[in-house]
Amino acid sequence: MAEDVAHFIRENGLKESSIIGHSMGAKTAMTLALGSPDLVANIASVDNAPSDKSLGKGFADYVRGMKQIDASNCKRQAEADEILKQYEESITIRQFLLGNLYRPPGENVTKFRVPLDVLGRSLDNLGDFPYKDPNEIRFGKPALFVRGTKSKYVPDEVLPLIGQFFPRFRLVDIDAGHWLISEQPEAFRQAIVEFLSPQE
């Protein structure tokens, strides 16, 4: 994924890019910054860290629910939401997941854009991080780490490792779980705007 982003940046002639990623997107941003620092001005990593971490059971449940929705040939998002309620009680998170639904051309049912079989098979490895030794590679430009205080993905004990890989990092805590952008959009927006604003 980091290679895909690097290709996009080069192909479009972008300069001094700010990369913001949540969850796996955060690991993508960190990987890109460490592997191709010349392409990146700064990064914002949202609720993830540069370490291997197994995914919570909830992700497998989400995939099961999404597969059930696909198999049910739902015609409306409300029908899909009723199915997903069995797997996730938060309407905010359900709406986020259901944002991947679309109606394929010529069909009258909704399907997910993401390849659910591939996603389901890959869950065991999705929490891995490709760089292991911060003594070998560092990103010396600004980095923002935003974490949900009710999430388990950026515990206090990983902060020293973040500091080793990203010595110019800043940390912002938001009173939310892993889906903090959906749960606290204004707090997230403020953190990003402050980080990206020119510093006096």
Side-chain angles (χ1 to χ4, degrees):
M1 291 175 73
E3 289 173 7
D4 287 344
V5 177
H7 176 74
F8 180 88
I9 290 171
R10 290 187 182 106
E11 190 175 65
N12 289 280
L14 303 177
K15 305 289 182 201
E16 296 296 305
S17 298
S18 295
I19 308 297
I20 303 171
H22 169 255
S23 197
M24 188 191 318
K27 287 199 171 177
T28 301
M30 289 182 275
T31 300
L32 176 64
L34 291 168
S36 300
D38 55 309
L39 299 179
V40 180
N42 51 53
I43 65 162
S45 171
V46 185
D47 213 50
N48 221 325
S51 61
D52 294 343
K53 177 86 173 170
S54 60
L55 299 182
K57 175 185 173 293
F59 285 92
D61 290 341
Y62 296 152
V63 172
R64 273 194 290 283
M66 293 161 79
K67 284 183 175 181
Q68 185 179 341
I69 290 166
D70 261 3
S72 298
N73 291 319
C74 298
K75 294 184 177 175
R76 296 180 11 253
Q77 186 164 324
E79 296 172 42
D81 186 56
E82 282 302 315
I83 293 171
L84 201 54
K85 279 182 184 176
Q86 302 169 53
Y87 300 90
E88 175 56 56
E89 63 183 41
S90 167
I91 188 168
T92 304
I93 296 172
R94 292 197 314 270
Q95 287 174 338
F96 172 77
L97 295 170
L98 294 174
N100 288 288
L101 280 176
Y102 79 113
R103 193 176 306 278
E107 295 190 30
N108 67 347
V109 297
T110 59
K111 296 291 179 186
F112 280 96
R113 292 182 190 278
V114 294
L116 298 175
D117 285 337
V118 172
L119 185 61
R121 287 194 308 270
S122 303
L123 286 178
D124 287 345
N125 300 315
L126 287 183
D128 294 349
F129 191 68
Y131 297 107
K132 308 300 182 198
D133 187 354
N135 293 315
E136 294 178 358
I137 192 163
R138 286 193 175 92
F139 181 70
K141 299 175 187 177
L144 175 67
F145 282 74
V146 183
R147 68 177 175 175
T149 57
K150 298 173 186 167
S151 173
K152 64 176 185 157
Y153 288 95
V154 188
D156 288 343
E157 52 267 25
V158 82
L159 295 180
L161 181 64
I162 291 173
Q164 291 174 315
F165 275 118
F166 301 93
R168 293 181 60 194
F169 90 100
R170 281 194 273 164
L171 179 69
V172 172
D173 286 337
I174 292 180
D175 183 25
H178 181 61
W179 307 101
L180 63 93
I181 298 171
S182 298
E183 294 175 48
Q184 296 281 359
E186 182 55 24
F188 172 73
R189 186 193 70 78
Q190 287 178 7
I192 294 296
V193 167
E194 182 180 332
F195 174 66
L196 295 178
S197 295
Q199 302 299 310
E200 302 272 332

